[in-house]
Amino acid sequence: MRLLESKKGLSFFAFEHSEEYQQAQHKFLVAVESMEPNNIVVLLQTSPYHVDSLLQLSDACRFQEDQEMARDLVERALYSMECAFHPLFSLTSGACRLDYRRPENRSFYLALYKQMSFLEKRGCPRTALEYCKLILSLEPDEDPLCMLLLIDHLALRARNYEYLIRLFQEWEAHRNLSQLPNFAFSVSLAYFLLSQQTDLPEHERSSAREKASLLIQQALTMFPGVLLPLLESCSVRPDITVSSHSFFGPNAEISQPPALSQLVSLYLGRSHFLWKEPATMSWLEENVHAVLQTVDAGDPAVEACENRRKVLYQRAPRNIHRHVILSEIKEAVAALPPDVTTQSVMGFDPLPPSDTIYSYVRPERERNSVIWESQLCVCRLRSFPSPSNARAESRQPRKHDCRLSSFQPWGEARGRSGWGSEPQPGPEQADAGCARHDGQLPPERPRGTARGRR
């Protein structure tokens, strides 16, 4: 990793590949094209810490329900990249940036995302939330993995309601978070759950309840197509007044734009169970009837919301499509547009940015080379080492297809933050960040030394 530049209190870093690692990367691309996971295992025999190979093989193990091995491979990838950290790179400062347009940086994003997913599935939502914050902090303006579609869910699961409310209050003005269904409903739910806490003073609980009711009514008015699918997911049958009303009826879901339907499917597939509590359902029912009274009274805000839905949700940005692919929520994946589903999506680099910054290119002779000889396919997963334990031994994944079939809420695309070409580091920067990936076993870091120093 090396330091590219520092400006306005921010430091911009980039991972870089040594010549040996570049050769391993070329071999990895050939192995992926062969659609044979054992070829990736062969590569890991000679380059046991090649990050993209570890992440791709982790997916193959996960699809075969070998969760333990999949987690080990992701942890190994994170360890490899941690050993290459620049001495000035800090995960906790919030002032370090990694440009997602650089392919070398994307592996770190994806490794963090996969580790976060494993933590959530293991029942560690608070730790998963911290990983989510970290990914968002690496490039908050562009948000390449669209963590704003997930951070509210993790905050609610971790019962960190105050954080979610504060994030909404501070970012709403410049990020329009209320225009995302997940934030519109999650923040109102956070206020309601906060009002249910008995250790709060009575006036604070009352204020939180009023704020929750106001926000949920605004959310229902803006996104009426969420209600009936939400109740269906929670196995709750609405009364005839609600189900037969034209505002919340089946037409509300059918008439919403496809991009909005995708966001709704993503939110419901991930967070519907948070609404199943009887107290929450009673509060939701109360506010649904209040919204119907407003609609019947001809409130102009209802028509204004309908016009906004037609204008704002014409097409989802690429980072949202990338997030949907990584989430693997069936309903949301099924709603992806044809131009995304018809292209080849690689698990180690889903939907790369169109303005990718390449520091080196794959040789043409590598592109046209013959796929590895067949005897390379007889290797076994136990033949490469593990930094933590020997669980990798005696495991061999079955054959699997290695090819897996800046956040702007629906406005004009924002420009990048001013540095399109790679700046030249100064003499003091060139010496400071000399650690590189070489695809080989990183040395153990001595206890008590600074992270990233060799």
Side-chain angles (χ1 to χ4, degrees):
M1 178 182 283
R2 61 193 178 100
L3 177 63
L4 299 177
E5 66 173 345
S6 296
K7 62 179 182 180
K8 298 180 180 179
L10 301 177
S11 299
F12 296 86
F13 296 87
F15 286 96
E16 60 179 358
H17 294 169
S18 64
E19 293 184 2
E20 294 81 5
Y21 195 94
Q22 292 179 25
Q23 295 300 318
Q25 186 72 12
H26 300 329
K27 293 178 181 178
F28 166 74
L29 295 176
V30 174
V32 170
E33 291 172 355
S34 73
M35 304 179 70
E36 173 54 66
N38 283 329
N39 288 341
I40 298 178
V41 178
V42 173
L43 176 59
L44 287 173
Q45 289 181 325
T46 56
S47 301
Y49 280 79
H50 182 260
V51 176
D52 284 345
S53 296
L54 293 170
L55 296 180
Q56 189 76 6
L57 193 58
S58 174
D59 284 341
C61 293
R62 182 168 55 85
F63 294 150
Q64 298 173 36
E65 299 182 357
D66 190 350
Q67 302 294 331
E68 184 179 4
M69 176 58 66
R71 289 195 299 267
D72 284 348
L73 293 170
V74 171
E75 290 174 359
R76 185 178 307 168
L78 286 172
Y79 171 74
S80 174
M81 304 193 83
E82 182 184 3
C83 289
F85 280 178
H86 190 279
L88 299 179
F89 183 78
S90 172
L91 296 176
T92 58
S93 67
C96 296
R97 300 289 185 265
L98 287 176
D99 192 346
Y100 194 81
R101 293 176 298 173
R102 296 180 178 273
E104 298 89 343
N105 293 343
R106 293 176 203 160
S107 300
F108 189 56
Y109 278 90
L110 295 175
L112 290 174
Y113 187 96
K114 294 177 186 296
Q115 180 73 348
M116 175 193 67
S117 299
F118 284 130
L119 288 168
E120 182 188 5
K121 293 176 182 177
R122 293 170 65 184
C124 305
R126 183 57 186 267
T127 308
L129 175 62
E130 298 305 319
Y131 270 83
C132 186
K133 294 178 185 178
L134 170 59
I135 298 172
L136 182 60
S137 72
L138 294 177
E139 198 172 0
D141 292 334
E142 300 298 332
D143 193 9
L145 299 188
C146 213
M147 303 312 295
L148 288 178
L149 296 179
L150 175 61
I151 195 168
D152 62 297
H153 170 76
L154 294 176
L156 289 176
R157 285 201 61 192
R159 300 182 180 180
N160 199 344
Y161 311 130
E162 294 85 353
Y163 169 77
L164 178 58
I165 292 171
R166 180 183 173 187
L167 176 66
F168 178 77
Q169 292 173 343
E170 294 182 0
W171 284 33
E172 166 64 11
H174 66 284
R175 300 298 287 271
N176 296 326
L177 297 183
S178 61
Q179 303 306 307
L180 294 171
N182 60 305
F183 261 93
F185 283 86
S186 292
V187 173
S188 59
L189 181 59
Y191 272 109
F192 173 74
L193 295 176
L194 195 63
S195 70
Q196 299 294 105
Q197 295 183 352
T198 57
D199 56 340
L200 288 179
E202 182 62 30
H203 70 280
E204 292 186 12
R205 294 172 57 190
S206 177
S207 176
R209 179 67 177 254
E210 293 177 2
K211 186 68 174 178
S213 297
L214 174 62
L215 290 176
I216 192 60
Q217 291 178 27
Q218 293 176 353
L220 291 168
T221 304
M222 184 65 191
F223 307 107
V226 175
L227 180 62
L228 291 186
L230 174 60
L231 296 179
E232 182 180 357
S233 300
C234 297
S235 302
V236 174
R237 180 178 298 178
D239 58 43
I240 189 65
T241 306
V242 175
S243 59
S244 62
H245 199 285
S246 59
F247 187 72
F248 286 123
N251 187 58
E253 183 181 1
I254 297 173
S255 62
Q256 61 189 4
L260 178 57
S261 297
Q262 186 179 83
L263 286 178
V264 172
S265 299
L266 185 68
Y267 174 67
L268 295 179
R270 178 177 280 155
S271 303
H272 69 273
F273 65 91
L274 299 173
W275 294 81
K276 286 187 174 182
E277 292 295 327
T280 303
M281 275 295 166
S282 299
W283 166 72
L284 178 61
E285 180 183 9
E286 173 188 335
N287 286 280
V288 166
H289 287 289
V291 170
L292 288 181
Q293 293 177 4
T294 302
V295 172
D296 293 337
D299 192 329
V302 177
E303 184 178 358
C305 289
E306 181 180 0
N307 294 332
R308 287 212 312 253
R309 285 196 300 273
K310 294 178 180 179
V311 173
L312 296 179
Y313 304 95
Q314 295 297 324
R315 177 174 173 80
R318 194 173 181 84
N319 60 340
I320 288 184
H321 292 158
R322 190 180 297 123
H323 178 91
V324 170
I325 292 173
L326 290 173
S327 71
E328 298 179 357
I329 296 176
K330 296 180 180 179
E331 297 81 3
V333 173
L336 287 170
D339 61 329
V340 175
T341 57
T342 55
Q343 63 178 289
S344 178
V345 178
M346 310 306 296
F348 68 93
D349 190 11
L351 297 183
S354 57
D355 54 348
T356 296
I357 300 175
Y358 293 102
S359 57
Y360 64 94
V361 295
R362 184 181 177 187
E364 190 65 27
R365 58 185 175 83
E366 292 284 350
R367 299 174 185 267
N368 300 325
S369 63
V370 180
I371 302 301
W372 293 1
E373 298 180 2
S374 58
Q375 67 259 26
L376 297 181
C377 298
V378 300
C379 64
R380 295 182 180 274
L381 185 60
R382 64 170 179 261
S383 57
F384 61 91
S386 172
S388 56
N389 51 53
R391 287 200 297 265
E393 296 184 5
S394 74
R395 295 182 182 269
Q396 179 184 6
R398 297 187 297 273
K399 291 185 178 181
H400 178 76
D401 186 354
C402 290
R403 219 179 265 270
L404 302 181
S405 2
S406 47
F407 182 72
Q408 174 75 9
W410 318 105
E412 297 179 356
R414 293 183 182 175
R416 287 273 178 175
S417 55
W419 52 292
S421 59
E422 180 178 339
Q424 298 297 323
E428 68 283 356
Q429 299 173 359
D431 293 334
C434 57
R436 299 167 179 248
H437 284 312
D438 57 6
Q440 302 299 322
L441 179 66
E444 292 287 349
R445 189 169 60 249
R447 297 183 178 273
T449 59
R451 175 178 294 177
R453 297 182 183 275
R454 293 180 178 269

